[in-house]
């Protein structure tokens, strides 16, 4: 699909326009300049056209702030990747020197460029929008991204230069595997994503909390398509008082929701913290496949006994994620990075696995024969039959006589037996117990 990149100075309304075109609050929007630092992309369907819409950080003087130079570099990379460019300026502030510099770069791009002047809510702003013709452009589109004024006319022009035909993702027999990289701030999530991509696609900084949005990046590996979702670091609730921090946590959780497999990054130098366990809890609650990656492994002592005890502690603290493989890596030095995609693919294949009803019931009968269900209130629990209801994760419905009286220990036993029998050791497996009717029970 074609890529349409939205570019412009900070705080001109790029993310507001992005959200309107995506028809959802996909990007973080805030009055503070520089909220969007990385490139953020999403598929958009407009009329009979479908394209990837890319939001970018604010283009500004590299001396303007701590992240200005890196954000500027990300904007320039976006311009290289885009097929069509959508320039956005601010009618209220008028023509800015950074607008002039960016327009000069766009002229050199030799790509279709559409110039929109945002925050035009009345005739006074329309007068100010006309000032942008001084930039030497042929057509200015006055819009209000917040209220939708003029956006349709702008997008009618944009979509005219896009190809009319597109392939529906639903028809793709080999869909992309969505992988969310999550963890506490400053564990090296963006460094890991860049290492997996083999290029600097995500801003990396030693300051915690650099990534605020969930940044989606497609990549191909092992003959399969992956979508890497680099999420904002999840902080404790008590430390997310600012509105923007709270939104970042929401975006991280949305990244987990959208994923098939989660790479949960742990800092080897700090060990497993309570917050790591909270993040793991989010992953478990949402039933996602999981790979626990212990990063910065090059910085820990190389004593074999220490390493063994450390990994035993990691497994013990994440015992509620028994299916999650543990992989030690150094994202900075790219140590064992080559093992990430094969493990993710193995997890996904199990996460997406389906077994026949006949096989499920043969295993259920065998398990019950080995370990008879316990007596509850003087009555023996009876399991009649089971079937797999869904995948992602594999979910089995087990019909029995008194589902509400099944102890969690026996449920865990059945789950582990199913996981072993169906080669699902690396994926969550869910069991749902349902009562068979009394009449069926009596007849049986």
């Amino acid at each position: 699909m074609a890529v349409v990149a939205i570019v412009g100075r900070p705080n001109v309304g790029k993310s507001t326009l992005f959200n309107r075109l995506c028809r959802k609050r996909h990007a973080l929007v805030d009055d503070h300049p520089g909220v969007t630092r990385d490139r953020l992309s999403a598929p958009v369907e407009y009329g009979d056209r479908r394209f990837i819409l890319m939001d970018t950080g604010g283009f500004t003087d590299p001396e303007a702030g701590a992240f200005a130079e890196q954000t500027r570099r990300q904007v320039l990379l976006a311009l290289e990747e885009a097929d069509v460019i959508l320039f956005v300026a601010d009618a209220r502030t008028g023509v800015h020197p950074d607008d002039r510099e960016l327009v000069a770069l766009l002229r050199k791009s030799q790509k279709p460029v559409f110039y929109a002047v945002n925050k035009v809510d009345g005739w006074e702003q329309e007068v100010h929008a006309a000032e942008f013709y001084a930039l030497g452009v042929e057509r200015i589109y006055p819009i209000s991204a917040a209220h939708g004024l003029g956006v349709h006319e702008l997008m009618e022009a944009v979509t005219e230069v896009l190809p009319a035909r597109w392939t529906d993702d639903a028809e793709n027999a080999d869909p992309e595997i969505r992988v969310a990289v999550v963890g506490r701030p400053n564990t090296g999530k963006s460094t890991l994503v860049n290492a997996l991509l083999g290029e600097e696609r995500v801003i990396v900084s030693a300051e915690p909390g650099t990534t605020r949005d969930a940044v989606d990046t497609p990549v191909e590996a092992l003959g399969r398509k992956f979508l890497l979702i680099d999420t904002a670091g999840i902080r404790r609730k008590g430390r997310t008082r600012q509105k923007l921090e709270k939104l970042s946590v929401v975006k991280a959780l949305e990244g987990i929701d959208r994923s098939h497999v989660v790479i949960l990054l742990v800092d080897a130098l700090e060990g497993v913290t309570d917050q790591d366990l909270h993040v793991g809890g989010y992953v478990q609650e949402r039933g996602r496949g999981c790979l626990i990656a212990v990063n910065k492994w090059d910085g820990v002592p190389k004593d074999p006994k220490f390493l063994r005890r450390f990994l035993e502690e990691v497994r013990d603290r994440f015992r509620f994620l028994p299916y999650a493989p543990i992989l030690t890596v150094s994202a900075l030095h790219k140590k064992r990075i080559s093992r990430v995609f094969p493990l993710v693919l193995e997890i996904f294949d199990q996460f997406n696995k389906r077994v026949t009803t006949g096989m499920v019931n043969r295993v259920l009968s065998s398990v019950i024969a080995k370990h008879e269900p316990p007596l509850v209130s003087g009555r023996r629990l009876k399991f009649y039959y089971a079937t797999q209801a869904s995948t992602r994760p594999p979910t089995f419905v087990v019909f029995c006589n008194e589902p509400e009286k099944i102890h969690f220990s026996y449920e865990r036993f059945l789950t582990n037996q199913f996981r072993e029998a169906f080669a699902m050791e690396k994926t969550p497996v869910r069991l749902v117990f349902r009562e068979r009717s009394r009449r069926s029970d009596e007849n049986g």
Side-chain angles (χ1 to χ4, degrees), residues 341-399:
F341 278 127
L343 266 174
V344 167
L345 184 57
E346 187 177 356
I347 292 168
F348 174 78
D349 286 343
Q350 294 187 18
F351 185 70
N352 198 42
K353 190 172 186 179
R354 182 176 288 278
V355 294
T356 65
T357 298
M359 182 181 293
V360 173
N361 283 287
R362 283 193 296 272
V363 169
L364 179 63
S365 298
S366 175
V367 169
I368 292 173
K370 286 193 302 182
H371 190 167
E372 191 175 26
L375 288 169
V376 179
S377 301
R379 187 182 182 192
R380 180 76 63 186
L381 288 174
K382 292 183 180 180
F383 294 92
Y384 303 109
Y385 61 95
T387 186
Q388 183 174 359
S390 62
T391 61
R392 303 185 183 185
T395 301
F396 300 88
V397 178
V398 182
F399 292 87

Side-chain angles (χ1 to χ4, degrees), residues 4-8 14 17-18 21 51 53-54 56 79 82 84-89 102 106 112-116 141 143 154-155 158:
V4 178
I6 304 176
V7 300
K14 299 184 298 297
L17 179 61
F18 180 88
L21 295 176
F51 55 93
L53 186 64
M54 182 187 298
T56 64
L79 293 181
V84 178
I85 300 164
L86 184 48
F87 169 88
V88 180
L102 182 53
L106 296 179
V113 182
F114 296 85
Y115 298 90
Y141 292 87
I143 67 169
L154 168 66
M155 294 310 299
V158 170

Side-chain angles (χ1 to χ4, degrees), residues 3 5-8 14 37-39 54-62 67-85 98 101-109 111 199-201 203:
V3 175
I6 304 176
V7 300
K14 299 184 298 297
R37 292 171 179 163
D38 291 299
R39 289 170 286 168
M54 182 187 298
D55 190 14
T56 64
F59 182 88
T60 188
D61 189 319
F67 296 100
E69 184 177 354
Q70 294 185 69
T71 302
R72 185 186 180 94
R73 186 163 65 248
Q74 295 293 317
V75 173
L76 295 177
L77 285 171
L79 293 181
E80 291 180 9
E81 295 180 5
D83 300 295
V84 178
I85 300 164
D98 289 340
E101 183 181 357
L102 182 53
V103 168
L105 286 172
L106 296 179
R107 285 202 181 97
K108 297 177 183 178
S109 69
K111 294 179 179 179
E199 61 173 315
E200 190 174 336
R201 284 291 303 267
I203 291 175

